[in-house]
Amino acid sequence: MTIPDKRATDRASLLSRLEGVIGLDLRVRFTEFRSPSLLEIALESNDLLGLQAESGQDIMVEVPVGQGQFVRRRYSIVDLDPQAGTMSLLIALKGNGPGETWATHLQPGDLIDAVGPRGKQPVNHAAARHLFLADHSAFAATSQMVRSISSGHVHVVAAFPSTQDAMAFTASSSAVEIGVEVLSPVAHGDVEPFLAAVEALSAEFLAEEGLQCYLNAEFSIVNRVRSLLTDRGVAVSAIATKPYWRRNVANAPHGEPIKD
Ligand SMILES: Cc1cc2nc3c(=O)[nH]c(=O)nc-3n(C[C@H](O)[C@H](O)[C@H](O)COP(=O)(O)OP(=O)(O)OC[C@H]3O[C@@H](n4cnc5c(N)ncnc54)[C@H](O)[C@@H]3O)c2cc1C
């Protein structure tokens, strides 16, 4: 038996060790700033025709790091249209990093090597009440997850680096009652505004039966907000978490933040 090399990030290695993903040869249609620090990469491909992905899932794209070397970075799938074979990525810009350099240099017609869909944090459609906490890097996933909910209550707490970067969250159905709390300006990775927002949530809201929480953000934000929610009585099983990046530490070559 061959033991897969968990460090290898080339397409063949990823496909051999990750279940349910396929190789995606994507072409850039256009790039456009949705806000001063949020860049849309619009993509097309025959590989997207018929593709099934859950809201909040992502793809692993190959990005260069110099000297012919590559790493993977993960970006959430936005507005997938499996009939047209199109989708977008929304890249939160923050100043450096191979993912950012790659994204900001893309031109229409450029080809992208990706694998996907990835991600195992689906929306709990049985829940009656949803609480999302997201930083700027998780706007893409959170906006898609919110839109996939067809009824009930949704409360979003989302941080943006500037007021000009604040983006709207919309529900796809009038049967969804949505409340959005925008935190801005918030420095990248600042946990305090999230903790204050969770402290301000009423005990009744957190004790409601059928509450599901989703924490998608920087590593420490995710961990500290999860602790605060559990301190406030929310069951661990009702809190789905996904760290997207880690303050002052580059993500690993496979695209995940480094764990302790
Ligand atoms: C499942 C998953 C889905 C993701 N989806 C998206 C998405 O849809 N859109 C998106 O923009 N990102 C998303 N990310 C994060 C993304 O994959 C990269 O981590 C991010 O783009 C930074 O990559 P980089 O190569 O530019 O920087 P890295 O090489 O990872 O880091 C370089 C430096 O930048 C810092 N840094 C990294 N990210 C940030 C940030 N947001 N703010 C401030 N400093 C930062 C690091 O701490 C480090 O010091 C997702 C991550 C995961 C795990």
Side-chain angles (χ1 to χ4, degrees):
M1 192 177 87
T2 317
I3 297 170
D5 178 0
K6 292 203 170 166
R7 290 162 306 175
T9 62
D10 60 282
R11 180 185 285 201
S13 302
L14 292 173
L15 293 182
S16 74
R17 71 169 193 265
L18 299 174
E19 244 178 79
V21 302
I22 59 168
L24 300 165
D25 291 314
L26 308 173
R27 184 184 297 273
V28 177
R29 293 168 61 216
F30 61 86
T31 66
E32 183 177 43
F33 280 92
R34 292 270 199 101
S35 80
S37 333
L38 194 71
L39 180 65
E40 176 179 4
I41 316 281
L43 301 165
E44 64 188 352
S45 170
N46 285 344
D47 295 338
L48 297 174
L49 293 169
L51 186 75
Q52 293 194 335
E54 297 281 331
S55 54
Q57 284 197 299
D58 62 275
I59 59 173
M60 298 172 85
V61 301
E62 187 178 65
V63 312
V65 287
Q67 299 181 322
Q69 303 292 305
F70 295 88
V71 295
R72 294 278 166 177
R73 289 292 180 255
R74 294 179 65 165
Y75 294 108
S76 307
I77 296 169
V78 173
D79 294 341
L80 172 65
D81 183 338
Q83 275 81 44
T86 57
M87 62 171 274
S88 286
L89 306 175
L90 291 174
I91 316 288
L93 305 177
K94 61 333 173 192
N96 63 16
E100 172 154 345
T101 304
W102 165 83
T104 51
H105 285 82
L106 287 172
Q107 297 291 327
D110 282 353
L111 297 176
I112 295 174
D113 176 320
V115 303
R118 297 245 25 227
K120 299 188 190 93
Q121 195 222 56
V123 170
N124 177 0
H125 290 287
R129 187 172 286 256
H130 306 262
L131 171 64
F132 291 90
L133 287 108
D135 70 4
H136 195 213
S137 68
F139 168 74
T142 305
S143 64
Q144 302 297 295
M145 293 168 86
V146 167
R147 255 196 269 159
S148 77
I149 295 169
S150 54
S151 64
H153 296 250
V154 172
H155 188 75
V156 183
V157 177
F160 298 92
S162 74
T163 48
Q164 295 90 335
D165 280 306
M167 303 288 290
F169 293 85
T170 49
S172 62
S173 155
S174 56
V176 175
E177 199 179 301
I178 182 166
V180 180
E181 197 178 337
V182 168
L183 310 175
S184 82
V186 170
H188 297 283
D190 186 357
V191 67
E192 296 305 329
F194 286 97
L195 297 178
V198 172
E199 288 284 12
L201 293 170
S202 72
E204 293 74 36
F205 175 90
L206 294 176
E208 248 345 290
E209 211 173 305
L211 174 70
Q212 174 69 53
C213 307
Y214 312 86
L215 315 183
N216 296 330
E218 191 274 336
F219 184 86
S220 304
I221 295 175
V222 167
N223 289 335
R224 293 196 48 201
V225 170
R226 177 176 45 199
S227 294
L228 179 57
L229 284 170
T230 54
D231 288 349
R232 295 206 59 199
V234 178
V236 173
S237 58
I239 309 174
T241 59
K242 184 67 194 171
Y244 277 15
W245 61 283
R246 191 158 182 176
R247 203 171 181 174
N248 299 326
V249 185
N251 278 9
H254 55 51
E256 293 276 349
I258 309 271
K259 297 197 178 81
D260 285 328

